[in-house]
Amino acid sequence: MHDSIIVGIMFTSVVAVAFSFLYFGHRNKMALQETIRLAMDKGQNLSPESIEQILQSQAAPQKDFKRGILLVCLALATAAYGLLDGYDSTIIGLSMFPLALGAGYLLVWKFDQQQP
């Protein structure tokens, strides 16, 4: 019973982090759109190049690297906890989820570095 409570707490934590990530990302995009809309309403002349530059700053490749490193560290910490808790294979298996996500972000970052 103790193990199921720990797994439930860890799963809830992962869901809370994912929800926060998605929510705040969406909120930032909406704030950026509102800022551009207000600038255009006030008569500011925004060229397509300046809008493209704003959008590129939001999708910086460094974000993929930072997210990848954070998720890999989360996976390592979760796996270490599973090892310290008497080799709990459930928790170690749960650590594979953030590890896979982190590896995916690092691959995207690496492939973006290779593009001209």
Side-chain angles (χ1 to χ4, degrees):
M1 178 163 165
H2 180 264
D3 290 339
S4 63
I5 292 172
I6 291 175
V7 171
I9 290 171
M10 291 190 68
F11 179 75
T12 304
S13 299
V14 169
V15 169
V17 168
F19 176 77
S20 299
F21 175 74
L22 293 172
Y23 173 74
F24 287 113
H26 174 71
R27 194 174 84 173
N28 286 341
K29 287 178 186 176
M30 295 304 290
L32 178 63
Q33 289 178 4
E34 183 65 25
T35 302
I36 292 173
R37 189 177 302 118
L38 284 174
M40 293 178 87
D41 288 344
K42 290 186 179 186
Q44 295 287 330
N45 188 12
L46 295 175
S47 67
E49 292 83 19
S50 62
I51 293 175
E52 183 67 29
Q53 184 178 8
I54 291 170
L55 294 176
Q56 286 297 327
S57 70
Q58 294 294 313
Q62 296 85 4
K63 287 185 178 183
D64 289 335
F65 182 72
K66 289 177 186 178
R67 289 177 185 152
I69 293 297
L70 276 170
L71 287 167
V72 168
C73 288
L74 175 65
L76 292 175
T78 305
Y81 176 75
L83 289 173
L84 292 174
D85 194 33
Y87 193 75
D88 188 349
S89 62
T90 304
I91 293 176
I92 295 172
L94 188 63
S95 71
M96 294 300 127
F97 180 70
L99 181 64
L101 289 175
Y105 272 117
L106 290 174
L107 282 172
V108 168
W109 171 77
K110 184 66 174 170
F111 288 136
D112 280 346
Q113 297 295 316
Q114 294 175 357
Q115 290 180 355

